[in-house]
Every structure is written in C-alpha cells, then in structure tokens.
Amino acid sequence: MRRGGFIRLPRLSRGQKIIRNLLAALLFLFLLWNAADRPVSLALALRWEAERYGLPAPEILYQSDWDRGHRREVILGWEGLAASGVFQKTWPCGLGELYGLDFQPAEEGLRFFATNRPLVTPRGFDFYLWTDTPEAARVECQVGLRDTAHPGIGPETGKELYFEETYGLEAEVNGHGVAPLNIRRQGENAWEDAALWDFYSMMFSSGGAAYPTEAHVTAVFYDEAGNELRTCERWFRTPEA
C-alpha cells in the first residue's frame, strides 16, 4: 500500500518479528566471522587441521589455561600419533584458529612435547610429558642436561668447565596421561639457558639442537595411593653429542 509517496510495509506478527531479529543477528555474526578472517571453534579447527593431513578428528589429551594473549596449548592424540599446538581465541565465544602443530609418532612409555610459550621465562622452562601407563596419577621426573659446546672457566682450576645439571620435577598426571612439567632455572646462567634451548629443540620432531648437547630423562609414575607403577627413561642427543 502506498501513502503520501511511501510504501507501507505489512505489519509483522510477533513470531515473524522474532524470526526477522534472529536472521539479522545471524547476518551480523556472519559479517563478524568474515571480518575476523573466519575464526572457528576449537572442535572445528581440530577437524579441519586433521583433514589437511588425511586424519580423523583427534582426541584432546590436554588443554592449558588461557594466557594473556587468549591462547591455550593443546595436545592431541590419534591412533599411533600425537601432536602439540596452540589454539588462539579471537572472540569471547571461543572462536579462533589452531596453529603450530608438531606431530610425533606414539612411542611406548613416554612422549615429550615442547611448549609453544616463550622458552626461558622468569618461572623457568615448561614442557609436557605423556605416558601410556594405566592409573598413573603423579610423576616424579629427573632431567639431566649436559652441554659440551659452551665452556666456561672453572674458578678453582682455571680450566674449561662445561654446564651440567640435574633437575628434580614432579606433577600430577591427568586422565589422558599428560603431565605439565617445569624446570626451574638455577640462576642467570647463559650456559644453562643454552642447554635448555637445545633440550627444547630436541623435543620438536622437526627441529634439532644447534650444539652438542645431551639430556637424560627418568620418570617414575605413581597411582593415587602412592604406589609405584612404572619407571621410564629417555635419552635426547644431538648428532655430535
């Protein structure tokens, strides 16, 4: 109907108004999704990333807390394979993107995952350990690092002295066998930092330490009652070490 040169739209019922508002809200969300370079939910991001490698949707073995940059680390599992990565949230509703996946074969006993957070922080160096030990609830871990490429001078002998340190760690193991671990730095020591960098590099399946370094890790797993279940060990070495 035309009145005074204007077209008068038909009056909408209450139900029609609700549908109109819902469609407008969906259109607005679609525009936001495009403006944010199409961020997606974690479940959808995992499925899409897995499809790139011809894999089914993975099982989420571990999720860290959100950091200040709205990121959380995830550890994913498939049959005979595992990967660590970072999920970046871009909107409060949980949309975002998954990046930085590092794939590793499923090794019997222990797997190690390097953190995607800054390597050396005031609180130390973080990494993750996974076990296939049933009923594991806690782990006590010793990490021995030996750097043979960055000598210092011994204060007593005046001879070259190479960094060597053993760290005692412990953590709870979640229901999927993953434990977050932290190596506390012993002090402001450039040789210690270099050894930690090399340990970090050796844990990435696609990386490798730049200098001759070796790391020996021993992990003892306990059940909830404190009974010892299993002891595992793993060596990491650069080709020259």
Side-chain angles (χ1 to χ4, degrees), residues 12-26:
L12 299 178
S13 67
R14 181 181 178 85
Q16 289 172 328
K17 289 179 179 179
I18 292 175
I19 293 174
R20 179 199 62 188
N21 294 339
L22 285 174
L23 291 174
L26 289 173

Side-chain angles (χ1 to χ4, degrees), residues 133-138 220-230:
T133 306
E135 301 181 1
R138 188 174 63 86
V220 184
F221 296 96
Y222 300 88
D223 62 16
E224 291 185 354
N227 301 309
E228 184 176 329
L229 299 173
R230 184 181 188 182

Side-chain angles (χ1 to χ4, degrees), residues 26 48 71 108 146 226 229:
L26 289 173
W48 285 355
R71 296 178 298 264
E108 204 173 311
R146 181 171 177 267
L229 299 173

Side-chain angles (χ1 to χ4, degrees), residues 37-215:
D37 196 23
R38 296 178 175 83
V40 297
S41 67
L42 174 58
L44 190 55
L46 294 180
R47 193 183 77 189
W48 285 355
E49 193 69 15
E51 287 176 352
R52 289 180 54 200
Y53 299 93
L55 296 169
E59 180 182 12
I60 300 176
L61 304 180
Y62 178 84
Q63 297 183 67
S64 69
D65 295 331
W66 294 106
D67 66 13
R68 293 182 179 179
H70 304 292
R71 296 178 298 264
R72 75 188 320 168
E73 293 193 318
V74 293
I75 296 177
L76 314 172
W78 294 266
E79 184 67 32
L81 189 67
S84 60
V86 174
F87 184 71
Q88 170 82 53
K89 184 170 67 172
T90 53
W91 296 101
C93 55
L95 300 178
E97 62 176 332
L98 181 70
Y99 64 90
L101 281 185
D102 181 57
F103 287 91
Q104 298 186 26
E107 297 189 20
E108 204 173 311
L110 289 179
R111 292 182 206 155
F112 292 82
F113 300 93
T115 178
N116 283 278
R117 292 188 295 276
L119 172 64
V120 179
T121 66
R123 63 184 296 269
F125 166 64
D126 298 315
F127 67 100
Y128 299 102
L129 178 151
W130 173 91
T131 180
D132 58 359
T133 306
E135 301 181 1
R138 188 174 63 86
V139 61
E140 293 181 357
C141 187
Q142 279 199 337
V143 179
L145 294 181
R146 181 171 177 267
D147 184 346
T148 61
H150 303 87
I153 302 298
E156 297 179 357
T157 63
K159 297 182 179 180
E160 288 187 343
L161 182 66
Y162 292 87
F163 175 80
E164 187 169 358
E165 187 67 67
T166 299
Y167 305 87
L169 319 173
E170 61 178 289
E172 293 184 356
V173 180
N174 74 4
H176 297 287
V178 177
L181 293 169
N182 173 262
I183 293 179
R184 294 284 180 178
R185 298 167 67 197
Q186 301 301 301
E188 297 294 329
N189 187 320
W191 292 278
E192 181 179 28
D193 289 351
L196 289 173
W197 270 108
D198 287 342
F199 183 41
Y200 171 85
S201 298
M202 287 186 287
M203 275 192 284
F204 272 112
S205 61
S206 58
Y211 301 101
T213 305
E214 65 179 19

